[in-house]
Amino acid sequence: MDQLLTKPRARPRPVKTDVRVDLPLGQILSGDCVAAMRCLPDDSVDMIFADPPYNLQLGGDLNRPDGSHVDAVTDHWDQFTSFATYDAFTKAWLTEARRVLKPDGALWVIGSYHNIFRVGAILQDLGFWILNDIVWRKANPMPNFKGTRFTNAHETLIWASMGEKARYQFNYRAMKTLNDELQMRSDWVLPICGGQERLKRDGHKVHPTQKPEALVYRVMLATTEKGDVVLDPFFGTGTTGAVAKRLGRDWIGCEREDIYREAALERIELALPLDESSLTTMQSGKSAPRVAFGALVEAGWIAPGTTIFDKQRRHMAIVRADGSLESGKEVGSIHGVGKNLQGAPSCNGWTYWHIEHEGEVKPLDALRQLYLLAIED
């Protein structure tokens, strides 16, 4: 009876734990992505970038007019027996993606006309809210050698929040700076992955659909902050991990193919992180191809942290991750900082600022011309 009259003790408040402690940061989880994501805690990831199988439904080989073979996605991981099978797979990984994303997290999915509309409908059914569809217009797409349809010159990215009223991260000012002080549009002109960036073994592509780092760089710079956790359920050769390392974000990958995991780990090991000062991005405030200075930065032509200077070396500035410059207390675009340092009414930053490139001092415009030549090849 005495026990019944005893006042029950108040339960101690649960100790708040850091979810990050339980996360496999900087690791590639092997096996099926759905099973791998089930190992992650709820509400633990800030952003997901997903490049799922496109389910291309290719029939027969692709050949150029000269008879040579065209590399295409014919791997078993892109083959599904029916649309229903593909839809079930899509719903399964998106369900896990929704569970592990934080309430203010964001989802990015890239695809082609073969799959992006099916993915978009399913993610809406699961409660995601589409914020934008981004058209990645390829500056140098593969021609349509059969001549039976329009050349596929773009892919589509869906950017979605956790719900219609959900908060989300968007670094508007950084995107405007990256685009030479013009508001960033939803059509992005970027070259496909090629040159030294394209991973090859024995003369063959390691992965048939390796994405350019410039594309993921823009996505990550726009919608995450330093120290955020980025998950890639279809890690491939590690583009997301390499860019995350450069930008000071933490990453987790899921990849079932051994050859891709090995290539990704080697690649990320070589990626150089940016220093603290160059990671700072601008915060939000209220015919012939046009090239923004930020395009050279995100494509790797000019590394964040690089020092640029005027021809007489009176003024120097540090390039930051979003294409802005920092010179003492002056922060802004190549044009704005140049103007303010000179006390001039205007400034063409392309010709005012110079850089050491291949042992020579050149105006930034020289690198812009090289970049234009490269994307036209």
Side-chain angles (χ1 to χ4, degrees), residues 21-22 34 55 61 87 94 103 118-119 149 189 193 208 232 241 244 277 290 316 331 341 350:
V21 174
D22 302 321
V34 177
N55 192 24
D61 291 336
D87 291 350
L94 279 172
R118 307 188 78 85
V119 173
R149 289 185 289 180
V189 182
C193 185
D232 187 335
S277 61
R290 184 182 182 280
M316 295 192 177
V331 175
L341 289 175
W350 290 109

Side-chain angles (χ1 to χ4, degrees), residues 307-310 313-318 326-328 341 353:
T307 299
I308 61 176
F309 41 86
D310 69 302
R313 296 182 184 261
R314 294 168 301 178
H315 302 297
M316 295 192 177
I318 302 296
E326 180 177 359
S327 180
L341 289 175
W353 294 108

Side-chain angles (χ1 to χ4, degrees), residues 94 98 101 105-110 115-135 156-168 186 223:
L94 279 172
R98 186 167 179 81
L101 271 171
L107 171 73
W108 284 85
V109 187
I110 185 170
N115 72 323
I116 197 65
F117 303 109
R118 307 188 78 85
V119 173
I122 293 169
L123 67 83
Q124 285 181 311
D125 289 343
L126 291 174
F128 287 101
W129 186 260
I130 296 178
L131 299 167
N132 273 119
D133 65 322
I134 304 293
V135 173
T156 301
L157 297 95
I158 293 175
W159 173 34
S161 66
M162 290 289 281
E164 182 180 3
K165 306 296 184 182
R167 297 174 63 88
Y168 56 89
S186 62
T223 56

Side-chain angles (χ1 to χ4, degrees), residues 169 171 220-221 223-229 247-249 283:
Q169 178 75 26
N171 302 321
M220 210 173 290
L221 192 69
T223 56
T224 64
E225 296 181 297
K226 181 179 178 295
D228 279 355
V229 178
L247 288 176
R249 277 64 166 164
Q283 298 303 308

